[in-house]
Amino acid sequence: MLESVLACRLLEDDDRHPDALAGVRSYLRAVARGGGLTPLDRALLGMPSGRDPLAGFAHHTAGRKRLLMGAILHAAGAGGAPAPPSVPDAVGGLHTWKQAELTACRVIRDRAAGSPVAGHDLDALAGLLLKPRIFEGNHLPHLLFLLALRPYPAYRAAVRQGTDLLVATQHADGGFSVAESFDTWVTSIVATALSEAGTDRGSLARTADWLAARQADDGGWSYTPQATQTDMDTTYTAMAFLHHHDPARYAPHLAAGYAYVRGLQNDDGGWPTYRRGTPSEPAMTGGALAVLAQHCAPHAQQIAAGVRWLAASQRPDGTFERGWSLADGNAIFRAVHGLTAVRDRLPLPPPAAEAVEQALGRAADRLERTHNRDGGWGQQPGRASDPVSTGYALAALGLLHRPSRIPAALAYLSACRRPDGSFDAPADTAAPRPIPVDVPVLAPAYVLRGLARCGR
């Protein structure tokens, strides 16, 4: 939604793309009529928002997200000059597009505040717009580059080319998402679900070859073929699928993947999403442990360190920091997947084994306590049930051998399934965190993973 508003603002100042402008305006009208707007959507559309879009967002990225939200609202004409973030502006160590995105935010902020703008920052942003494709396939930073450079006549050529690139990637419904596509990430999740559910291997052979060919030189996978920045999130599901599908055929890819996962581990034992040295995250650590447990013996030391960090990161109520999801269940399932895979394949010393059992017990108790009366689970306690959150819970409970809630959950899913097999579910993914982005194809995939796990 926010990308479409920003694109509309840009296209209103460029008379070369009237059809694109009409398309994005039509999309925005349809979204506004449909209801269900987030506080940020309402602020961007000039409506009373009701609350701060970042209210309650306690995360290691919260400081720079304040700068990002301020720059977005200012660029959309919905806010004053962005305030300085609560953390320094340094971008070293961040992943590729986040470094460039924060540079654009800084330019927008400094110009709005009447402060000097660094010429080398403007040149760097122009260089990214003059590339033949949208930088890293990511619409949001690209839009911020355009908005940052738009007031400077010297960079008109870069803005024009960047606008042309943007229009070329407009979606069929007239809108723009946070990225051109999530093709690698989505394919890896859907393929993993189908493979775990027992889909014929021959049906997934082309998918496996396609995913294997998308592996980067560093051994990891990126969320889209357009990006060079690899991540633990996509690498987890890509490796889980290839190992489940045909570990012998893809042994070289898996070996390179193991090296990537080892190299990404932080000194504290956990794993971040993108780059070693940035904060470890429970969901990423759970995925990494699930991957390394496929080949335990050479990775016993890394696994033990990861288990210690993940168990220690669990909250007293059994949850973990949500990461890239809006649902508690996502990180719980990922942690349970990693810890049960390790427990079942690698003898742990007594203190570590006890920590694993305690963490798994707390996770199971949490899921059983938060089961809704209709049989499903919501993103957080008190929220209405939805199929995706229910899929997460089923997958975790299946791994935990806690079957008591499963029959009611199956009845809930059966009742809300559409005739074509899809499900109506709220947006679950956050990108950038904590802003929702809807990827409808993931709903049946997460449900299928849950059904496959609880059926074992």
Side-chain angles (χ1 to χ4, degrees):
M1 175 67 180
L2 70 89
E3 293 81 12
S4 297
V5 174
L6 297 180
C8 187
R9 298 291 184 269
L10 284 161
L11 292 172
E12 286 170 345
D13 291 341
D14 188 327
D15 59 6
R16 297 176 303 126
H17 300 289
D19 292 342
L21 176 59
V24 73
R25 282 175 169 167
S26 176
Y27 169 80
L28 292 172
R29 286 193 297 270
V31 171
R33 286 195 303 268
L37 299 175
T38 69
L40 179 59
D41 295 338
R42 295 178 67 85
L44 289 169
L45 293 171
M47 304 164 64
S49 61
R51 65 181 177 87
D52 180 352
L54 293 178
F57 183 58
H59 193 263
H60 68 266
T61 64
R64 63 175 185 258
K65 290 297 167 58
R66 286 282 167 198
L67 175 58
L68 173 62
M69 289 298 107
I72 287 170
L73 291 169
H74 175 80
S86 58
V87 295
D89 285 3
V91 297
L94 296 176
H95 50 286
T96 53
W97 61 83
K98 187 58 62 176
Q99 294 181 26
E101 179 183 280
L102 289 180
T103 297
C105 289
R106 188 170 58 240
V107 168
I108 292 169
R109 179 199 66 196
D110 290 347
R111 179 177 173 83
S115 302
V117 174
H120 61 83
D121 283 344
L122 298 174
D123 290 341
L125 297 179
L128 295 174
L129 290 177
L130 290 169
K131 290 181 177 294
R133 298 200 63 163
I134 288 179
F135 178 60
E136 295 287 76
N138 201 312
H139 276 145
L140 181 55
H142 184 83
L143 285 159
L144 289 166
F145 304 162
L146 290 167
L147 292 161
L149 291 180
R150 183 175 56 168
Y152 299 93
Y155 296 96
R156 185 172 296 138
V159 171
R160 288 173 67 89
Q161 177 163 325
T163 303
D164 293 344
L165 290 174
L166 178 70
V167 169
T169 61
Q170 187 173 21
H171 296 317
D173 62 6
F176 297 85
S177 185
V178 66
E180 283 189 66
S181 79
F182 298 98
D183 285 357
T184 310
W185 178 64
V186 168
T187 299
S188 69
I189 293 171
V190 173
T192 299
L194 290 169
S195 181
E196 290 176 347
T199 299
D200 175 65
R201 276 180 44 181
S203 302
L204 295 173
R206 290 177 60 200
T207 303
D209 285 345
W210 186 90
L211 271 176
R214 304 283 87 73
Q215 188 174 30
D217 291 342
D218 65 4
W221 278 262
S222 59
Y223 78 99
T224 178
Q226 285 76 49
T228 61
Q229 175 67 64
T230 51
D231 62 85
M232 187 64 242
D233 199 19
T234 310
T235 299
Y236 154 57
T237 40
M239 291 186 68
F241 168 60
L242 294 178
H243 184 271
H244 196 276
H245 178 72
D246 194 339
R249 175 178 174 83
Y250 299 105
H253 299 86
L254 292 169
Y258 292 133
Y260 172 83
V261 175
R262 289 195 304 270
L264 196 60
Q265 187 175 26
N266 280 329
D267 291 340
D268 62 11
W271 275 265
T273 300
Y274 294 109
R275 292 192 173 180
R276 173 180 164 84
T278 55
S280 297
E281 302 181 48
M284 299 303 114
T285 301
L289 289 174
V291 163
L292 293 182
Q294 297 168 348
H295 197 41
C296 279
H299 303 122
Q301 187 173 359
Q302 288 86 4
I303 288 171
V307 164
R308 287 193 295 270
W309 184 88
L310 183 57
S313 75
Q314 189 179 34
R315 297 163 177 159
D317 65 1
T319 63
F320 298 85
E321 192 274 316
R322 294 184 198 119
W324 295 91
S325 174
L326 300 174
D328 289 336
N330 180 284
I332 291 175
F333 163 64
R334 297 275 289 265
V336 167
H337 189 192
L339 293 174
T340 55
V342 171
R343 180 195 63 185
D344 295 344
R345 295 182 177 92
L346 181 70
L348 294 170
E354 182 179 353
V356 167
E357 292 305 324
Q358 289 178 348
L360 293 175
R362 284 192 292 267
D365 291 344
R366 168 72 178 195
L367 291 172
E368 291 184 339
R369 287 196 311 272
T370 56
H371 190 223
N372 288 334
R373 290 184 178 181
D374 63 5
W377 280 262
Q379 292 182 337
Q380 291 102 48
R383 298 279 185 91
S385 296
D386 70 82
V388 173
S389 299
T390 302
Y392 294 146
L394 281 178
L397 291 172
L399 290 167
L400 291 163
H401 305 294
R402 292 280 192 105
S404 64
R405 302 295 194 273
I406 289 176
L410 295 177
Y412 163 77
L413 289 173
S414 179
C416 64
R417 180 177 60 87
R418 292 170 171 168
D420 65 358
S422 64
F423 293 87
D424 184 19
D428 171 78
T429 301
R433 293 179 281 196
I435 305 305
V437 57
D438 193 16
V439 188
V441 71
L442 292 184
Y446 287 133
V447 170
L448 189 58
R449 287 201 82 181
L451 295 174
R453 292 289 176 180
C454 75
R456 293 182 180 181

